[in-house]
Amino acid sequence: MTTDLLINIDHVATLRNARKETLPDPVHAAAAAEAAGADGIVFHLREDRRHITERDVRLLKQVVRTKLDFELSTDPDVVRICCEVQPELATLVPERREEVTTECGLDVIAHRKRLRDVVAQLRQAGVEEVALFVDPVLDEIDATLETGADCIELHTGDFANATNANERERCAGELARAAEHAHAAGLVVHAGHGLDYCNYPAFRATVPHIREVSIGFAVIARAILVGMEQAVREMRHIVKS
Ligand code: PXP
C-alpha cells in the first residue's frame, strides 16, 4: 500500500501569530506543499485559536485542491464550524489548553457516547471520513468501532520520543499490533505525531497498513531553512520510498 503524505501547516500560523503579523500565511504554505506533491493539508482549529484561525479555515477550504483534514476537539462551536466547512476528513483529538501540543490519544472508552454523537453529526453534515486519534491500545480501537468512525489515526508520539533503541522497538511493535488489529476490524489506519526525516524509515519498516501520515513540525522547521517546497519534497521522497 502506498502511504499518502498530509502536511500539517499549524506552525506556519504559530510563527505568523508570534508577531501578530499577516505573514507567513498558512494558506500560502498549503499551496506550496501541494505544489511539492503533498497528498493533503492538515490543520487543527484549537478552541483557544492559538495558531489556525477561522479566516485560515475558510480560505484553506477554498484553496486546497487535494485533501483537507480538519483536526478538532468535540467542542460544540468548533464542531459547528467543521460541519459548515465540510472537509474531506475530520480527525477528532483530545485538547487541553495547558498543553504545548496534543499529548495523547482520545480516551474513547470514557467518551464513547459523546464521540458517537459527534461522528454522526459530522457525517450528516457531509464530512466524507471521520477519524479518531488514539494511542496504540487494542481496547481503544475496539471502542472506536462503536463510535461509527471510519478511520483511526495512531498516535506515534511515544515512538517518536523514544530515547533508546529498545524503547523505540517496543513502541514500533505496539503500533504494528494496533495497525494490524484496526485493519482487520475494517478501520482505515492513519498515523501521526512527531514523525520526522530520521525516524520515518524505522516506522515505515515496522508498521503495516498505513493509508496516510500527518506530519507538521519537522517539515515546517526544515522549511524555514530550505523552503516549503524543498522540505515537503524531501519528506515525500522518504514516505514514498
Ligand atoms: N496528528 C495529530 C492528531 C496531531 O495533533 C499532530 C500535531 O498537531 C500531528 C499529527 C502532527 O504532529 P507533528 O507536528 O509532530 O508532525
Side-chain angles (χ1 to χ4, degrees):
M1 173 193 290
T2 58
T3 300
D4 286 345
L5 170 63
L6 275 67
I7 297 293
N8 179 312
I9 40 95
D10 291 349
H11 292 306
V12 178
T14 303
L15 182 57
R16 172 194 62 189
N17 298 358
R19 288 283 293 256
K20 301 190 174 24
E21 289 284 352
T22 55
L23 294 172
D25 192 323
V27 182
H28 298 173
E34 285 189 312
D39 299 299
I41 301 297
V42 190
F43 63 85
H44 183 176
L45 182 67
R46 296 187 75 105
E47 291 162 34
D48 63 10
R49 308 292 197 265
R50 71 173 69 155
H51 37 54
I52 293 293
T53 63
E54 268 187 72
R55 168 265 185 206
D56 300 332
V57 174
R58 308 276 175 198
L59 285 177
L60 285 165
K61 170 66 182 177
Q62 289 178 40
V63 167
V64 168
R65 288 282 158 263
T66 53
K67 177 174 187 175
L68 198 58
D69 176 7
F70 189 138
E71 273 183 28
L72 72 161
S73 70
T74 55
D75 173 72
D77 187 44
V78 183
V79 172
R80 178 187 55 76
I81 295 168
C82 188
C83 287
E84 283 172 20
V85 169
Q86 295 177 15
E88 283 80 13
L89 170 66
T91 302
L92 290 161
V93 301
E95 199 173 303
R96 290 192 312 119
R97 289 209 173 207
E98 320 80 79
E99 68 193 0
V100 173
T101 181
T102 312
E103 288 169 345
C104 60
L106 286 160
D107 186 345
V108 186
I109 295 168
H111 302 291
R112 206 182 314 229
K113 174 155 184 346
R114 174 71 186 139
L115 287 166
R116 193 167 41 220
D117 290 348
V118 173
V119 170
Q121 200 181 335
L122 292 167
R123 295 296 298 278
Q124 249 169 20
V127 177
E128 287 168 28
E129 284 181 314
V130 182
L132 302 192
F133 183 58
V134 296
D135 292 320
V137 173
L138 304 193
D139 287 348
E140 295 289 349
I141 293 166
D142 291 339
T144 299
L145 282 168
E146 293 176 35
T147 66
D150 313 275
C151 324
I152 50 160
E153 180 179 333
L154 288 174
H155 178 219
T156 51
D158 288 346
F159 164 79
N161 294 332
T163 51
N164 60 61
N166 279 348
E167 199 186 332
R168 192 166 310 116
E169 212 173 296
R170 183 183 56 74
C171 292
E174 282 174 8
L175 287 165
R177 270 189 298 283
E180 289 283 8
H181 188 76
H183 177 74
L187 290 164
V188 176
V189 187
H190 303 164
H193 207 89
L195 294 173
D196 64 24
Y197 298 90
C198 297
N199 63 27
Y200 197 85
F203 170 78
R204 189 189 56 215
T206 319
V207 187
H209 308 305
I210 302 298
R211 186 75 197 76
E212 58 187 57
V213 285
S214 162
I215 304 183
F217 186 79
V219 172
I220 304 306
R222 178 126 182 93
I224 286 174
L225 302 179
V226 302
M228 190 69 188
E229 293 199 22
Q230 178 68 18
V232 172
R233 269 196 299 271
E234 289 174 12
M235 186 57 83
R236 188 175 191 283
H237 180 71
I238 294 169
V239 169
K240 305 283 181 185
S241 57

